[in-house]
Short mmCIF file of all heavy atoms in Angstrom, two decimals:
data_model
loop_
_atom_site.label_atom_id
_atom_site.label_comp_id
_atom_site.label_asym_id
_atom_site.label_seq_id
_atom_site.Cartn_x
_atom_site.Cartn_y
_atom_site.Cartn_z
N SER V 334 77.85 101.83 94.49
CA SER V 334 77.74 101.81 92.96
C SER V 334 76.88 102.99 92.53
O SER V 334 77.14 103.65 91.51
CB SER V 334 77.30 100.51 92.55
OG SER V 334 75.90 100.27 92.89
N LEU V 335 75.68 103.30 93.26
CA LEU V 335 74.85 104.31 92.84
C LEU V 335 75.50 105.66 93.09
O LEU V 335 75.49 106.73 92.33
CB LEU V 335 73.59 104.19 93.66
CG LEU V 335 72.72 103.04 93.44
CD1 LEU V 335 71.48 102.98 94.35
CD2 LEU V 335 72.37 102.87 91.91
N PHE V 336 76.24 105.80 94.24
CA PHE V 336 77.03 107.01 94.55
C PHE V 336 78.11 107.21 93.57
O PHE V 336 78.40 108.40 93.20
CB PHE V 336 77.41 106.85 95.93
CG PHE V 336 78.17 108.07 96.37
CD1 PHE V 336 77.61 109.20 96.73
CD2 PHE V 336 79.69 108.08 96.56
CE1 PHE V 336 78.26 110.44 97.19
CE2 PHE V 336 80.28 109.15 97.03
CZ PHE V 336 79.64 110.40 97.34
N LEU V 337 78.76 106.19 93.17
CA LEU V 337 79.83 106.21 92.26
C LEU V 337 79.43 106.75 90.95
O LEU V 337 79.97 107.78 90.34
CB LEU V 337 80.49 104.90 92.07
CG LEU V 337 81.76 104.72 91.18
CD1 LEU V 337 82.46 103.39 91.63
CD2 LEU V 337 81.45 104.65 89.73
N VAL V 338 78.35 106.19 90.37
CA VAL V 338 77.71 106.67 89.13
C VAL V 338 77.29 108.13 89.16
O VAL V 338 77.57 108.89 88.32
CB VAL V 338 76.62 105.66 88.59
CG1 VAL V 338 75.94 106.31 87.33
CG2 VAL V 338 77.20 104.32 88.35
N GLY V 339 76.66 108.50 90.25
CA GLY V 339 76.04 109.86 90.45
C GLY V 339 77.22 110.83 90.56
O GLY V 339 77.22 111.89 89.96
N GLY V 340 78.23 110.47 91.49
CA GLY V 340 79.33 111.43 91.58
C GLY V 340 80.11 111.67 90.41
O GLY V 340 80.49 112.72 90.04
N ALA V 341 80.43 110.55 89.64
CA ALA V 341 81.24 110.64 88.35
C ALA V 341 80.44 111.48 87.33
O ALA V 341 81.08 112.18 86.69
CB ALA V 341 81.63 109.28 87.87
N THR V 342 79.22 111.15 87.36
CA THR V 342 78.39 111.92 86.32
C THR V 342 78.32 113.39 86.61
O THR V 342 78.58 114.20 85.60
CB THR V 342 76.86 111.48 86.21
OG1 THR V 342 76.95 110.09 86.01
CG2 THR V 342 75.93 112.09 85.31
N VAL V 343 78.11 113.81 87.81
CA VAL V 343 78.18 115.26 88.10
C VAL V 343 79.49 115.97 87.95
O VAL V 343 79.66 116.89 87.38
CB VAL V 343 77.74 115.44 89.72
CG1 VAL V 343 78.08 116.82 90.06
CG2 VAL V 343 76.30 115.06 89.84
N ALA V 344 80.62 115.15 88.29
CA ALA V 344 81.99 115.69 88.15
C ALA V 344 82.38 115.76 86.72
O ALA V 344 82.81 116.93 86.23
CB ALA V 344 82.88 114.67 88.72
N LEU V 345 81.94 114.86 85.78
CA LEU V 345 82.35 114.91 84.38
C LEU V 345 81.38 115.98 83.80
O LEU V 345 81.95 116.76 82.84
CB LEU V 345 82.06 113.62 83.72
CG LEU V 345 83.14 112.52 84.22
CD1 LEU V 345 82.77 111.28 83.50
CD2 LEU V 345 84.54 112.97 83.80
N THR V 346 80.08 116.07 84.11
CA THR V 346 79.30 117.27 83.70
C THR V 346 79.74 118.55 83.97
O THR V 346 79.91 119.46 83.18
CB THR V 346 77.85 117.01 84.18
OG1 THR V 346 77.36 115.73 83.78
CG2 THR V 346 76.96 118.11 83.55
N ALA V 347 80.14 118.71 85.09
CA ALA V 347 80.79 120.04 85.67
C ALA V 347 82.05 120.38 84.87
O ALA V 347 82.26 121.40 84.53
CB ALA V 347 80.97 120.05 87.16
N PHE V 348 82.78 119.30 84.52
CA PHE V 348 84.15 119.56 83.87
C PHE V 348 83.75 119.99 82.46
O PHE V 348 84.38 120.97 81.98
CB PHE V 348 84.89 118.22 83.80
CG PHE V 348 86.14 118.31 83.01
CD1 PHE V 348 87.20 118.93 83.33
CD2 PHE V 348 85.99 117.70 81.65
CE1 PHE V 348 88.34 119.07 82.54
CE2 PHE V 348 87.19 117.76 80.95
CZ PHE V 348 88.32 118.51 81.29
N GLY V 349 82.79 119.36 81.81
CA GLY V 349 82.35 119.61 80.41
C GLY V 349 81.77 121.06 80.34
O GLY V 349 82.02 121.80 79.39
N LEU V 350 80.98 121.47 81.40
CA LEU V 350 80.22 122.68 81.23
C LEU V 350 81.10 123.91 81.80
O LEU V 350 80.90 124.91 81.32
CB LEU V 350 79.00 122.60 82.09
CG LEU V 350 77.94 121.64 81.53
CD1 LEU V 350 76.70 121.62 82.41
CD2 LEU V 350 77.48 122.03 80.14
N PHE V 351 81.96 123.75 82.71
CA PHE V 351 82.69 124.79 83.32
C PHE V 351 84.16 124.65 83.25
O PHE V 351 84.87 125.60 82.77
CB PHE V 351 82.18 124.87 84.79
CG PHE V 351 80.73 124.99 85.09
CD1 PHE V 351 80.07 123.96 85.56
CD2 PHE V 351 80.07 126.12 84.74
CE1 PHE V 351 78.69 124.00 85.79
CE2 PHE V 351 78.76 126.27 84.94
CZ PHE V 351 78.00 125.14 85.38
N THR V 352 84.78 123.52 83.77
CA THR V 352 86.26 123.57 83.92
C THR V 352 86.86 123.62 82.61
O THR V 352 87.80 124.37 82.30
CB THR V 352 86.53 122.26 84.69
OG1 THR V 352 86.00 122.21 85.83
CG2 THR V 352 88.12 122.33 84.88
N ALA V 353 86.39 122.71 81.63
CA ALA V 353 87.08 122.63 80.33
C ALA V 353 87.03 124.03 79.52
O ALA V 353 87.99 124.50 79.05
CB ALA V 353 86.52 121.53 79.49
N PRO V 354 85.87 124.56 79.49
CA PRO V 354 85.72 125.98 78.79
C PRO V 354 86.65 127.06 79.54
O PRO V 354 87.21 127.85 78.79
CB PRO V 354 84.15 126.25 78.96
CG PRO V 354 83.50 124.93 79.01
CD PRO V 354 84.46 124.14 79.84
N ILE V 355 86.73 126.91 80.81
CA ILE V 355 87.51 127.97 81.51
C ILE V 355 89.06 127.73 81.16
O ILE V 355 89.67 128.63 80.77
CB ILE V 355 87.21 127.87 83.06
CG1 ILE V 355 85.87 128.41 83.34
CG2 ILE V 355 88.40 128.65 83.67
CD1 ILE V 355 85.54 128.18 84.90
N VAL V 356 89.49 126.47 81.17
CA VAL V 356 90.81 126.23 80.89
C VAL V 356 91.21 126.62 79.41
O VAL V 356 92.18 127.19 79.13
CB VAL V 356 91.23 124.79 81.01
CG1 VAL V 356 92.47 124.44 80.43
CG2 VAL V 356 91.09 124.41 82.57
N ILE V 357 90.26 126.19 78.41
CA ILE V 357 90.48 126.54 77.09
C ILE V 357 90.48 128.05 76.88
O ILE V 357 91.31 128.61 76.14
CB ILE V 357 89.45 125.94 76.31
CG1 ILE V 357 89.55 124.34 76.34
CG2 ILE V 357 89.45 126.32 74.74
CD1 ILE V 357 88.48 123.53 75.55
N GLY V 358 89.45 128.70 77.47
CA GLY V 358 89.34 130.19 77.39
C GLY V 358 90.70 130.92 77.86
O GLY V 358 90.98 131.85 77.31
N THR V 359 91.16 130.36 79.06
CA THR V 359 92.31 130.91 79.70
C THR V 359 93.61 130.82 78.78
O THR V 359 94.27 131.82 78.54
CB THR V 359 92.50 130.31 81.00
OG1 THR V 359 91.51 130.46 81.97
CG2 THR V 359 93.85 130.89 81.62
N LEU V 360 93.63 129.58 78.11
CA LEU V 360 94.81 129.43 77.28
C LEU V 360 94.77 130.20 76.04
O LEU V 360 95.68 130.73 75.48
CB LEU V 360 94.84 127.90 76.90
CG LEU V 360 95.22 126.87 78.07
CD1 LEU V 360 95.24 125.53 77.57
CD2 LEU V 360 96.59 127.27 78.60
N LEU V 361 93.51 130.43 75.44
CA LEU V 361 93.37 131.26 74.29
C LEU V 361 93.63 132.76 74.52
O LEU V 361 94.31 133.39 73.80
CB LEU V 361 91.87 131.12 73.76
CG LEU V 361 91.56 129.79 73.10
CD1 LEU V 361 90.09 129.72 72.75
CD2 LEU V 361 92.47 129.43 71.94
N ARG V 362 93.20 133.26 75.70
CA ARG V 362 93.58 134.52 76.07
C ARG V 362 95.06 134.74 76.34
O ARG V 362 95.50 135.75 76.00
CB ARG V 362 92.86 134.97 77.36
CG ARG V 362 91.25 135.06 77.19
CD ARG V 362 90.62 135.61 78.41
NE ARG V 362 89.23 135.73 78.16
CZ ARG V 362 88.30 136.26 79.13
NH1 ARG V 362 88.76 136.74 80.26
NH2 ARG V 362 87.02 136.36 78.85
N ALA V 363 95.68 133.68 76.93
CA ALA V 363 97.05 133.79 77.10
C ALA V 363 97.81 133.85 75.80
O ALA V 363 98.84 134.57 75.58
CB ALA V 363 97.63 132.61 77.92
N LEU V 364 97.38 133.07 74.77
CA LEU V 364 97.93 133.16 73.43
C LEU V 364 97.73 134.58 72.86
O LEU V 364 98.76 135.08 72.19
CB LEU V 364 97.24 132.07 72.54
CG LEU V 364 97.69 130.71 72.70
CD1 LEU V 364 96.86 129.70 71.91
CD2 LEU V 364 99.14 130.46 72.41
N GLU V 365 96.66 135.13 72.95
CA GLU V 365 96.57 136.60 72.49
C GLU V 365 97.39 137.48 73.24
O GLU V 365 97.81 138.44 72.57
CB GLU V 365 94.96 136.92 72.75
CG GLU V 365 93.86 136.10 71.86
CD GLU V 365 92.47 136.54 72.17
OE1 GLU V 365 92.37 137.46 73.15
OE2 GLU V 365 91.54 135.98 71.60
N GLY V 366 97.61 137.20 74.44
CA GLY V 366 98.36 138.15 75.33
C GLY V 366 99.90 138.11 74.96
O GLY V 366 100.60 139.05 75.21
N LEU V 367 100.28 137.09 74.15
CA LEU V 367 101.73 137.02 73.78
C LEU V 367 102.04 138.07 72.78
O LEU V 367 103.15 138.53 72.70
CB LEU V 367 101.99 135.64 73.16
CG LEU V 367 102.07 134.38 74.02
CD1 LEU V 367 102.25 133.16 73.37
CD2 LEU V 367 103.21 134.71 75.04
N THR V 368 101.03 138.60 72.00
CA THR V 368 101.42 139.55 70.93
C THR V 368 100.61 140.76 71.06
O THR V 368 100.89 141.79 70.36
CB THR V 368 101.10 138.94 69.56
OG1 THR V 368 99.61 138.52 69.50
CG2 THR V 368 101.85 137.71 69.28
N GLY V 369 99.64 140.80 71.98
CA GLY V 369 98.79 142.02 72.00
C GLY V 369 99.00 142.99 73.05
O GLY V 369 98.15 143.89 73.34
N GLY V 370 100.12 142.96 73.82
CA GLY V 370 100.35 143.96 74.80
C GLY V 370 101.77 144.19 75.06
O GLY V 370 102.73 143.96 74.13
N SER V 371 102.11 144.60 76.27
CA SER V 371 103.50 144.93 76.58
C SER V 371 104.38 143.76 76.82
O SER V 371 103.87 142.50 76.83
CB SER V 371 103.51 145.76 77.91
OG SER V 371 103.03 144.94 78.98
N ALA V 372 105.64 143.93 76.94
CA ALA V 372 106.63 142.76 77.10
C ALA V 372 106.30 142.10 78.41
O ALA V 372 106.35 140.84 78.42
CB ALA V 372 108.11 143.35 77.06
#
Side-chain angles (χ1 to χ4, degrees):
S334 68
L335 301 177
F336 181 73
L337 186 157
V338 172
T342 300
V343 171
L345 291 175
T346 300
F348 174 76
L350 293 178
F351 303 107
T352 306
I355 289 172
V356 170
I357 293 172
T359 300
L360 293 177
L361 291 177
R362 290 187 181 185
L364 284 171
E365 294 176 358
L367 287 176
T368 57
S371 64

